[in-house]
Amino acid sequence: MEERIATLRRILDESAYTVALCGSGMMEEGGFAAIKGGDRAYEIEQKYGYSPEEIFTSGFYTARPMQFFEFYREELLKNIPEATESGTVMAQMERAGKLQCVISSNIFEQGRRAGCRNVIYLHGSIYRNFCPKCGREYPMEYLRDAKGIPACADCGFPVRPGVYLFGEMVDSGLLSRAVDEIAKADVLLLLGTNLHSEVFGNYIKYFGGKYLIIIHKHSHYLDDTADMVFLDHPRNILPLLGYGDGRKAEEK
């Protein structure tokens, strides 16, 4: 392992432009269980009478706002994953000039909360909410602590969570930024995701750099096409690179 870590550190040190793609595994390592698929999706359907794919949509938000916000509050806003050592190390790499951009499918802003600055959040953020009628903005706590439907204090319209719901198109400007960053990269880090990613699959094809590195707990047969693969949570690998004291967060 030490030799492989040393090789990864050398690759990152020699890279002129490194981009990290952060997937659902980053939320998983922070304690959040994905709402789609498996036992979790079954539990949600039994609890609310609808599948996550049905509830977490703009149509459901419009037609059944009371049920939508019950789900959104209980399953997302009250289960925010912790910022982990992964984010701490990425922030240290960014400050050291070893990481130029983070592209994330994470709606919980783990990267920003850990200190990363140049982050593209493809699916929006739970921390940036707004009234679709008058545009007034609201913090996450306003939605989390509301009784029933969180209504705009100015016009009474239901506040819109600042996240992309299932089936909604991602902003074209965000897509273009993400593609441009990936196309510029010498090294592409896949953290908490892999080449089979439902989110990142169409982005990875724009990568034409030198090294593609996967750090993900779950294996996939497409992993063989990557230059290096670490089958573990990023929080267990990134601190070993030695960019600052990446273990401080764990000790605290």
Side-chain angles (χ1 to χ4, degrees):
M1 175 64 85
E2 288 184 8
E3 183 176 343
R4 299 184 73 229
I5 291 295
T7 299
L8 177 55
R9 171 68 190 241
R10 176 184 55 78
I11 288 172
L12 293 171
D13 284 344
E14 293 176 355
S15 172
Y17 209 91
T18 297
V19 173
L21 303 184
C22 296
S24 60
M26 301 291 277
M27 295 186 287
E28 179 183 322
E29 72 171 21
F32 181 81
I35 61 175
K36 290 176 64 177
D39 294 338
R40 183 83 174 100
Y42 177 77
E43 291 172 3
I44 288 172
E45 186 163 1
Q46 292 300 303
K47 182 177 179 179
Y48 297 97
Y50 298 92
S51 70
E53 288 86 353
E54 292 175 292
I55 301 176
F56 203 55
T57 63
S58 58
F60 205 95
Y61 159 81
T62 302
R64 299 180 177 88
M66 183 70 76
Q67 292 167 287
F68 173 89
F69 280 108
E70 179 189 1
F71 164 82
Y72 187 67
R73 212 165 15 241
E74 295 299 320
E75 308 304 330
L76 295 171
L77 300 188
K78 293 184 180 180
N79 288 297
I80 296 174
E82 296 294 327
T84 69
E85 296 89 340
S86 298
T88 302
V89 176
M90 286 194 294
Q92 292 166 342
M93 291 174 64
E94 189 180 63
R95 289 192 294 270
K98 303 300 181 182
L99 179 62
Q100 280 63 48
C101 183
V102 175
I103 301 171
S104 178
S105 62
N106 184 342
I107 63 173
F108 300 105
E109 292 196 14
Q110 282 172 291
R112 179 193 61 79
R113 287 156 52 204
C116 294
R117 294 184 178 182
N118 189 21
V119 185
I120 299 173
Y121 290 106
L122 293 176
H123 292 169
S125 166
I126 64 168
Y127 297 100
R128 307 165 195 277
N129 310 286
F130 62 95
C131 174
K133 186 174 183 180
C134 71
R136 179 170 174 174
E137 297 182 357
Y138 290 90
M140 179 275 294
E141 291 81 6
Y142 188 84
L143 277 66
R144 184 195 63 194
D145 301 336
K147 304 300 181 184
I149 301 170
C152 176
D154 289 338
C155 65
F157 207 83
V159 175
R160 177 61 157 81
V163 300
Y164 286 93
L165 304 177
F166 293 155
E168 292 183 325
M169 296 295 292
V170 176
D171 179 81
S172 60
L174 288 178
L175 294 177
S176 295
R177 281 185 62 201
V179 168
D180 288 345
E181 292 292 335
I182 291 170
K184 288 190 291 187
D186 290 329
V187 175
L188 190 63
L189 295 174
L190 273 61
L191 306 178
T193 187
N194 56 35
L195 293 169
H196 186 60
S197 168
E198 179 181 343
V199 175
F200 294 117
N202 287 329
Y203 294 91
I204 295 170
K205 65 184 181 182
Y206 293 99
F207 175 65
K210 298 177 181 178
Y211 296 101
L212 193 152
I213 315 294
I214 298 173
I215 307 177
H216 190 30
K217 181 70 173 178
H218 309 292
S219 64
H220 191 272
Y221 71 89
L222 290 177
D223 292 350
D224 292 341
T225 61
D227 295 286
M228 295 188 77
V229 178
F230 296 84
L231 292 178
D232 204 340
H233 286 305
R235 69 183 300 172
N236 297 327
I237 299 298
L238 294 179
L240 301 178
L241 293 169
Y243 290 106
D245 188 359
R247 295 196 179 277
K248 280 187 176 180
E250 186 174 8
E251 291 168 0
K252 292 178 182 177

